[in-house]
């Protein structure tokens, strides 16, 4: 049985429209359909919004963006897609286990665009040549912290392909050291200001490492052709690990390829873009075929690392769980609230079929806040994520309406958090507010793969101020694992 319904004050259509226009967000948010990636669980986003094609660079998997399948829906050779990274893209596509997209605009996390980071497992930054904005750095860092994979590929210092005064070394160091999430050496390394002319950096001996010994082959050496290295700082992050080293170096110096973790996510760094260059691309670019260099195993390194970042492998990292088994399933009980006030723990009246708001599907939904008085509503459910699952995708649909007219102040908020069995907050996945008001529902999604093997509590907490109402309406939740 539902608890007694509470008196709510929904905005009239005219007032809602006025508030949305005042906030300038009416066009930014829209109802989005759930991505159909069940057969391709590893969702990889390649960035092309930061001058990755400037000068002789051609760091794209295809000229068809955001979806490379628009150029060839079933590529069998790297020339079926056009770009210096087409070999990388085609190799992943041909496995049938990956969904690939290209981002050409500002990177976001928790938004409604098709290339929002919340829709992906891994972000690849192939030698960016313009600085990330403050908002982008926040988005990237939160994406990794909450379970995403980040693949950073640099080039040598001074490789300023668009002549804006910034090169990849400076840009990636800025991302790590000048962001609003964690600027205290979050990944445990910094990129060296170097231009190493040539060499074949060698892999360490570690037969258990899933990047060096993965499903795409064994890594023995890489290639450096005007690149750089990194300095490891394990005192700042004990998970940082050098995998491939410049000749004559080991330990904390001269790492050409490394891995690390941050929060629930995984990180990989490569000191040169030449190894991912397949020598073909758009007309007029001077390219170098490092992908097929016979003195190195660059393809295996790139592909194994991509798989690891997206959740494969048992070596440490936040993208996926270790051993055990996993059966594909949806884990949340009463996921659409149609059984009323069961399975979920909720404040009185939160789970409702009131006509004051509308369910996205069925009759019931969860309505947090909406009083116009100081209120805190909660909605939570405990769930165990099997240890063998490498994908754990939390999703829900959210509708926000408000009587607030501000365009800059978040008076009312909804936090989405992961807690352990003791009630300690492990991660705040997102915080929404009256500034996110929009017509209709918007799908939100997050990776919880980093919590495989754990029992966690998913919790929504709505906090409303004392004057004007904001309603946070949730429906059609899911936690899909595989």
């Amino acid at each position: 049985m539902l608890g007694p319904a509470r008196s709510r004050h929904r905005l009239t259509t005219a007032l809602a429209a006025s508030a949305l226009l005042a906030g300038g967000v009416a066009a930014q948010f829209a109802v989005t359909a759930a991505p159909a990636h069940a057969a391709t669980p590893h969702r990889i986003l390649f960035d092309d919004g930061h001058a990755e094609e400037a000068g002789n660079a051609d760091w794209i998997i295809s000229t068809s963006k955001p979806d490379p399948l628009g150029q060839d829906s079933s590529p069998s050779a790297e020339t079926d897609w056009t770009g210096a990274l087409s070999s990388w893209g085609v190799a992943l596509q041909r496995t049938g286990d990956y969904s690939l997209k290209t981002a050409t605009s500002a990177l976001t996390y928790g938004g409604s665009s098709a290339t929002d980071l919340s829709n992906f497992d891994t972000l690849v930054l192939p030698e960016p040549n313009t600085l990330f904005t403050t908002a982008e750095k926040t988005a990237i860092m939160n994406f990794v912290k909450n379970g995403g994979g980040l693949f950073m590929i640099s080039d040598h210092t001074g490789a300023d392909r668009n002549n804006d005064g910034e090169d990849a070394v400076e840009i990636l160091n800025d991302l790590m050291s000048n962001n609003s999430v964690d600027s205290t050496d979050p990944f445990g390394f910094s990129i060296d200001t170097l231009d190493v002319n040539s060499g074949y950096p060698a892999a360490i001996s570690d037969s258990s490492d899933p990047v060096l010994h993965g499903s795409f082959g064994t890594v023995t050496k890489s290639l450096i052709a005007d690149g750089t290295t990194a300095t490891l700082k394990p005192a700042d992050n004990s998970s940082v690990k050098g995998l491939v080293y410049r000749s004559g170096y080991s330990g904390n110096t001269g790492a050409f390829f490394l891995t690390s973790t941050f929060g629930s996510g995984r990180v990989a760094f490569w000191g040169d873009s030449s190894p991912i260059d397949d020598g073909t691309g758009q007309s007029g670019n001077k390219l170098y075929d490092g992908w097929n260099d016979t003195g190195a195993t660059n393809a295996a390194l790139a592909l194994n690392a991509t798989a690891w970042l997206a959740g494969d492998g048992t070596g440490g990292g936040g993208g996926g769980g270790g051993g055990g088994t996993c059966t594909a399933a949806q884990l949340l009980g009463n996921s659409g609230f149609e059984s009323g006030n069961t399975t979920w723990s909720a404040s009185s009246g939160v789970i409702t079929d009131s006509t004051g708001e509308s369910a996205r599907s069925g009759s019931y939904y969860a309505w947090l806040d909406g009083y116009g008085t100081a209120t805190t509503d909660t909605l939570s459910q405990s769930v165990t994520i099997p240890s063998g699952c490498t994908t754990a995708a939390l999703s829900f649909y959210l509708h926000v309406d408000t009587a607030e007219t501000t365009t800059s102040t978040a008076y009312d908020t909804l936090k989405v958090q992961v807690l352990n069995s003791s009630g300690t907050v492990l991660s705040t996945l997102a915080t929404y507010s009256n500034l996110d008001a929009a017509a209709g529902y918007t799908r939100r999604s997050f990776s919880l793969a980093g919590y495989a093997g754990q029992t966690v509590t998913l919790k929504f907490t709505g906090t409303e101020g004392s004057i004007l109402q904001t309603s946070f309406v949730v429906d059609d939740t899911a936690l899909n694992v595989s």
Side-chain angles (χ1 to χ4, degrees), residues 68-281:
L69 298 181
Q71 184 173 11
D72 190 318
S73 61
S74 184
S76 59
E78 65 91 6
T79 52
D80 292 334
W81 288 355
T82 304
L85 306 188
S86 60
S87 287
W88 189 355
V90 169
L92 292 174
Q93 182 65 35
R94 290 182 63 187
T95 68
D97 293 329
Y98 293 83
S99 172
L100 311 178
K101 295 290 187 294
T102 299
T104 57
S105 56
L107 296 169
T108 61
Y109 180 53
S112 59
S113 73
T115 55
D116 185 84
L117 290 174
S118 63
N119 297 319
F120 296 89
D121 301 306
T122 298
L123 169 65
V124 180
L125 302 178
E127 197 195 332
N129 252 258
T130 59
L131 287 166
F132 297 102
T133 66
T134 298
E136 286 181 309
K137 288 185 286 186
T138 299
I140 295 168
M141 296 299 293
N142 277 327
F143 167 69
V144 180
K145 183 178 180 181
N146 293 331
L150 177 63
F151 204 154
M152 299 190 295
I153 300 165
S154 185
D155 203 358
H156 62 89
T157 190
D160 179 8
R161 298 179 183 273
N162 60 340
N163 299 313
D164 68 345
E166 305 289 347
D167 57 39
V169 173
E170 296 165 321
I171 292 162
L172 295 175
N173 276 334
D174 178 71
L175 168 64
M176 296 185 287
S177 64
N178 183 27
N179 66 81
S180 65
V181 178
D182 188 339
S183 293
T184 59
D185 193 22
F187 304 154
F189 72 92
S190 60
I191 305 171
D192 301 325
T193 305
L194 291 174
D195 182 352
V196 182
N197 182 258
S198 63
Y200 286 95
I204 64 170
S205 177
D206 186 348
S207 61
S208 67
D209 190 275
V211 174
L212 298 180
H213 300 271
S215 60
F216 291 97
T218 297
V219 175
T220 57
K221 290 185 177 182
S222 186
L223 162 78
I224 189 166
D226 286 318
T228 189
T229 57
T231 298
L232 279 56
K233 303 174 185 177
D236 294 338
N237 186 326
S238 61
S239 70
V240 69
K241 178 182 180 181
L243 299 185
V244 178
Y245 282 86
R246 180 185 174 191
S247 180
Y249 291 81
S250 62
N252 294 335
T253 60
F256 184 58
F257 193 102
L258 63 83
T259 58
S260 187
T261 65
F262 175 61
S264 301
R266 296 176 172 184
V267 177
F269 166 79
W270 211 338
D272 194 359
S273 54
S274 295
I276 58 170
D277 186 344
D278 64 22
T280 68

